[in-house]
Amino acid sequence: MSKYASWSCVVSNPYYSQCVPGSSGSSGTSTSTSTASTPSLTGIAATAPTTPPSKLTGMLPALGWNHWNAYGCSINETKVLAAANDFISLGLKDAGYEYINIDDCWPLMQRDPTTMQIVPDPSKFPNGISGVATQIHALGLKMGIYSDAGTATCAGFPGSLGMESLDAATFSSWGIDYLKYDNCNVPANWTDSSTPQDGDWYNSNSAIRYRQMGGALAEQSNPFQFDLCIWGAANVWDWGARVGHSWRMSGDSAPTWQYITEIIGINVQYLSSINFFSHNDMDMMEIGNGALTIEEQRTHFAAWVFLKSPILLGTDLSLLNSTQISIITNPELLAFSQDSTVGTPAAPFNATASLPTTSIPEYYSGESSKGVHVFIINTSSSSATKSFAFANVPGLTGSGPFILHDMWTGTDLTGTYSLDSTFSVTVASHDTVAYRITSS
């Protein structure tokens, strides 16, 4: 039985047909994909797609750019291609960045009345999305697009709920490599009950909306990296890896220290969800935006790195200064993010016996193929001395001697340390230091 056999399809306007759970009806625009009928489940949850995300992409946190924080709805082909060319001229491609992602506001307000496809706004994209993708691919980069798991996007453009098969095929035909899938304008009958079926949020209405698009993407000839922009709803950290490669953990970002600390605080509660093909998305980067100090921008980047979040730059790249470029292209921090041997993030640890209580954890440790790493955030409003005992660092083996390496500067610190050593450093307000520890 088709997973849409119990759906009712309605036409809300001449340009958009919507299929929703109902007592009868069928859809001519729906996708046929992998389903698994589960006896204990009822309704759409019993036959919703169970197709896992592609393993041909998304193993490591995505590195790229997204237009929204810089341009909002004022996006066009010129700005997108400028970002792609900046990737080349600023050394971002060489550093590992590859995705050029278009966010909301790229199409016309109405679908094509004949094909029902979403139509790129010709005033913004005179060569269509496919024309832009061709130019981006010619630079050796990949391209992302945006849609929504509701009736309309957050800015009111056509959403993909009930149109997943058509939209996935359309995006694929344009050469799209990445889909950011938002969570606005969800019909009332698609909202979640307080307790999902079988107590599993994978069976919630929210998860099923994303599973439908995941199943449609899986039917395309090219692999899609799938970002579930679900704002941390429906316990997504429990099921996100069964549907996509990353999932947003909060609402909109902001270029403020408060936002940076808030999302770190949210994310550290769910670090067990992070591994290869499975990433908590801490939202688009704000480096270059607002009034963030250089120290706050260093912490912004370092935290996204050591918590293995996708890093999607969100500014006019041509306006970044050399210090900001050196932050986002730091090879040693990016190597931790992109390590193909260790997929788990750094995690808070008790650095000393008398560790003070702070608004968010300040001390983190994690392993990579290159050694054991320690990251320290100074959350206070003034410079402070931060210390950690080598014996307290998880993953360190043997008694030493150990070499301490500064990941920001790429240089070893003078001297060696033993397991009995304690290291102290003065850290500027809102800054983050990053070290790698190896045996001498």
Side-chain angles (χ1 to χ4, degrees), residues 58-75:
M59 174 180 170
L60 303 174
L63 299 179
W65 175 86
N66 178 290
H67 91 250
W68 187 257
N69 287 350
Y71 301 116
C73 272
S74 299
I75 188 60

Side-chain angles (χ1 to χ4, degrees), residues 31 42 136 162 189 209 292 299 321 391 401 408 431 433:
T31 181
T42 61
I136 288 173
N189 58 317
R209 286 185 291 114
L292 292 172
T299 294
N321 60 40
W408 282 114
D431 199 2
V433 293

